[in-house]
Amino acid sequence: MSLLLAPALTLLLAAVQPGAAHAADPTTLAGGFYVDPDSSAQQWLNANPGDGRAAAIRSSIASVPTARWFGNWSGTIGTATGAYAGAAAARGKLPVLVAYNIPNRDICAGQSGGGAGSAAEYATWIAAFASGIGNRPAVVILEPDALGDQSCMSAGQIDERNAMLRNAIAQFNAKAPNTRVYLDAGNPAWISASTMAQHLAAAGVSGAHGFSLNVSNYVDTGQNTAYGDAVNAALRASNGFAKPYVVDTSRNGNGSNGAWCNPPGRRLGTPTQYGGGGAEMLLWIKAPGESDGNCGVGAGSTAGQFLPQVAYDMIFGY
């Protein structure tokens, strides 16, 4: 066998191995969730301490544990995830990280388009992401939108993406044994539970700890837990297993009005906590106040940009 082929074969074998879900429970290794001291809300507060909205944003948003997103803007990824997981571990807290760099990211909506340039580039990136966390306790939300976007992809693109996700899960299993990985499964308003169960199974959820729901969306928690239970029923019927799930509650306090891109009148949801209506955790994954893109009440902004007035209005449900 050519030595040049060996790395590719190794990657392929890693991708197809089912992998056991982690035995370690990171929630027992940390005392509560980590509050990001460099969140977009906190950065705005640091720059605008005298703003009349600052007190409300500080107490209602910046002080709540919220995920940090990592992608092609994060610099050397292993250094970035290592620094974040290390800072949380030094405080005895559990960090939530989002891996958001898969090729053709957000291929349907396009507001958050981008990602790694190739499957090989992504494989290198996600392996370094996991290595950066290492043995420290963490929660990782793996690639929001990745399984919901399949209607905009060819069969070949879907197969390639599933292989990338299976390999990503294998990398965390091997390199970050105290990390819970939740493969993203969209939201109840997007794809039927039975179809999403098929997508999850094909992408290797059997090797992950579980799946995530409602990331960057507004659907209320009850609808999400009903959907999560339905996804699990379909997984159990077709594949013989079910998985824990988490729900993004950061912006679902008023539920959804049917729009996904900066709709008006939304409100903060239940702060990050363990457990909640059948979910393993309720998490703030999308940071409140960060734009969904150039749309709705965020017209003129870019995805991820912190909008203080949107954040302030969301505190009160305006």
Side-chain angles (χ1 to χ4, degrees), residues 34-126:
Y34 183 54
V35 176
D36 184 357
D38 197 35
S39 67
S40 56
Q42 187 60 53
Q43 290 182 42
W44 179 84
L45 288 167
N46 293 344
N48 300 275
D51 191 288
R53 300 164 294 188
I57 290 173
R58 180 178 293 106
S59 62
S60 296
I61 295 177
S63 64
V64 178
T66 305
R68 180 182 286 190
W69 293 54
F70 294 83
N72 49 348
W73 59 85
S74 300
T76 303
I77 189 60
T79 302
T81 58
Y84 194 64
R91 291 162 177 78
K93 300 296 183 181
L94 181 66
V96 181
L97 303 84
V98 180
Y100 196 51
N101 197 39
I102 204 158
N104 293 315
R105 186 181 66 209
D106 197 24
I107 190 172
C108 287
Q111 294 284 354
S112 299
S118 67
E121 182 181 321
Y122 183 72
T124 299
W125 186 87
I126 203 69

Side-chain angles (χ1 to χ4, degrees), residues 99 102 122 139-148 150 161-162 164-169 172 180-187 196-215 231 235 241 243-246 285:
I102 204 158
Y122 183 72
V139 167
V140 168
I141 308 301
L142 183 59
E143 297 299 344
D145 308 326
L147 297 184
Q150 291 190 3
R161 176 167 288 188
N162 284 340
M164 285 187 277
L165 292 170
R166 291 193 298 269
N167 176 63
I169 292 166
F172 284 104
R180 281 185 176 176
V181 175
Y182 298 88
L183 180 58
D184 190 61
N187 65 74
M196 181 50 72
Q198 294 170 7
H199 291 182
L200 284 166
V205 76
S206 61
H209 181 78
F211 57 91
S212 56
L213 299 173
N214 205 46
V215 174
V231 169
L235 281 172
F241 66 84
K243 288 288 182 176
Y245 59 85
V246 297
I285 299 172

Side-chain angles (χ1 to χ4, degrees), residues 170-227:
Q171 295 301 316
F172 284 104
N173 286 341
K175 296 180 170 71
N178 294 320
T179 293
R180 281 185 176 176
V181 175
Y182 298 88
L183 180 58
D184 190 61
N187 65 74
W190 199 349
I191 292 171
S192 73
S194 59
T195 299
M196 181 50 72
Q198 294 170 7
H199 291 182
L200 284 166
V205 76
S206 61
H209 181 78
F211 57 91
S212 56
L213 299 173
N214 205 46
V215 174
S216 299
N217 214 285
Y218 302 86
V219 180
D220 69 55
T221 303
Q223 288 176 272
N224 273 286
T225 56
Y227 181 73

Side-chain angles (χ1 to χ4, degrees), residues 282-310:
L282 303 180
L283 301 174
W284 280 21
I285 299 172
K286 172 70 173 183
E290 288 190 1
S291 175
D292 294 319
N294 181 15
C295 50
V297 295
S301 67
T302 57
Q305 180 181 345
F306 185 75
L307 305 174
Q309 190 59 45
V310 170

